[in-house]
Amino acid sequence: MFCTVYVLLLLALPADWVAHPLTERLDPRSATWLLTATAATLAAASSAGLLLLALTGLLRTHTAAALGHWSLRVLRNGTPGTGLVSPLAGAALVTAAVATAGTLRCRVRAQRTAAREAARLPTRHGLSVAEDPSAEAFAVPGSTTSAGPGGRVVVSTGMLAALTPEEVSVLVAHERAHLHARHHWFVMTAQLAATANPLLRPLARHVSYTVERWADEEAALATGDRRRVARTIGKAALARQRTAVRTCAPHGVLRLTGPSATAGPVPRRVAALLAPPHRGVRAQPLVPALTTLLVATALLCCADAAHDVHRLLQLAHESTGY
């Protein structure tokens, strides 16, 4: 009856296998939405599985049976929470909840701190410029400014020195794409899902990659030159690597809050920009279909397990003597 509870805990295992081809065969925007929704759904499904296992362990106690006027014999015969399964499930659920809440709190606090720090930086042509010899450029979500909706684009003096004005405009287009599409919400959702279920960490890494690809494509669309975007991203990544040892601490908190143009596997991103752009999902319908099937399975298993618990309580209530 309760085999679906265990299915909920195992659904995250094939997530990475499905996610990798999805990042390659779908356009970045569709891939980001699909991966983020999948991560959130699977995290909720695994949490529901742990909750049901912990709940069924409580139902097997004399106290719960007496309070609910249920048959203890029916409850013990119909629940899978034997031995240490239920206590371990409860401990895992509490641990995941505490870790997720802590991650959310740290992210929100870092974002607010970064927004305040970015607001203090001097502006130049609509950009917040940090006096830092390390080559950095990133989006800081927060207060709306002329630099973009809902945040600021921060560029270090080291990055400005490493790039030409045309290349800086490409980099800024990339970062503003992050702000326009609010990519930090996708990344945060995936990271919270991975905190709740560590098996989803590969999925969170894929989301971090696809938001960068999404911003790359938006920058290419804005500038009309995919090769220039590819060249700029590669040059910025090399400049960041070359100056990384000289990173200054005061602006370190800014890097914790938003995606960066030099983040992710840069050679893979450059290769994607040099290739023809994606034309949509029709050419590869199998990948999103498998992902949709995975999410649908998680939802059906949750519904089935909840129905099993409800039906068990009905039977236990109708039975006499416990």
Side-chain angles (χ1 to χ4, degrees):
M1 177 185 292
F2 282 87
C3 63
T4 51
V5 173
Y6 298 103
V7 174
L8 289 172
L9 301 178
L10 299 175
L11 277 176
L13 289 175
D16 185 35
W17 177 77
V18 173
H20 183 73
L22 190 147
T23 60
E24 299 296 333
R25 301 176 184 180
L26 292 185
D27 68 277
R29 178 173 182 166
S30 301
T32 299
W33 276 101
L34 201 52
L35 286 171
T36 305
T38 300
T41 301
L42 294 181
S46 61
S47 298
L50 292 175
L51 177 61
L52 287 170
L53 283 176
L55 177 62
T56 54
L58 293 175
L59 291 177
R60 296 169 62 86
T61 63
H62 289 276
T63 303
L67 290 175
H69 301 288
W70 297 314
S71 168
L72 185 59
R73 176 182 57 82
V74 173
L75 292 177
R76 287 184 172 178
N77 289 337
T79 56
T82 59
L84 294 176
V85 173
S86 291
L88 289 176
L93 182 63
V94 172
T95 301
V98 171
T100 303
T103 299
L104 178 61
R105 181 183 179 185
C106 289
R107 291 281 303 185
V108 171
R109 180 182 297 176
Q111 183 171 314
R112 290 176 178 174
T113 303
R116 289 195 299 267
E117 187 173 339
R120 299 191 188 103
L121 295 175
T123 59
R124 188 186 306 174
H125 303 297
L127 305 176
S128 296
V129 180
E131 290 292 337
D132 193 335
S134 62
E136 294 285 352
F138 39 87
V140 178
S143 59
T144 302
T145 69
S146 59
R152 296 172 181 266
V153 175
V154 179
V155 181
S156 69
T157 53
M159 183 65 81
L160 292 176
L163 302 180
T164 65
E166 292 77 13
E167 291 168 340
V168 170
S169 65
V170 171
L171 208 63
V172 171
H174 174 100
E175 299 303 339
R176 284 179 176 164
H178 283 315
L179 295 176
H180 276 283
R182 306 184 187 279
H183 287 165
H184 60 286
W185 289 114
F186 294 97
V187 174
M188 182 184 294
T189 300
Q191 289 178 347
L192 292 176
T195 304
N197 186 345
L199 293 176
L200 297 173
R201 286 176 182 173
L203 219 60
R205 288 194 294 269
H206 285 302
V207 171
S208 296
Y209 168 73
T210 56
V211 296
E212 293 302 330
R213 284 284 300 116
W214 185 351
D216 290 344
E217 293 296 333
E218 292 295 324
L221 186 63
T223 60
D225 191 338
R226 297 175 62 83
R227 288 187 175 273
R228 183 194 298 175
V229 175
R231 184 171 58 251
T232 300
I233 289 173
K235 186 175 178 180
L238 289 175
R240 183 187 185 191
Q241 184 178 15
R242 186 173 61 252
T243 61
V245 294
R246 297 183 294 169
T247 298
C248 296
H251 303 297
V253 67
L254 295 174
R255 303 184 184 95
L256 301 177
T257 60
S260 168
T262 54
V266 174
R268 186 178 168 195
R269 291 168 53 197
V270 170
L273 281 167
L274 295 177
H278 288 279
R279 298 300 180 184
V281 300
R282 292 184 179 180
Q284 298 289 347
L286 181 60
V287 176
L290 289 175
T291 308
T292 302
L293 178 63
L294 192 65
V295 172
T297 301
L299 295 176
L300 288 174
C301 286
C302 285
D304 182 65
H307 177 268
D308 285 345
V309 172
H310 178 70
R311 181 57 180 161
L312 175 64
L313 293 179
Q314 281 186 327
L315 292 174
H317 187 70
E318 294 170 358
S319 300
T320 58
Y322 55 86

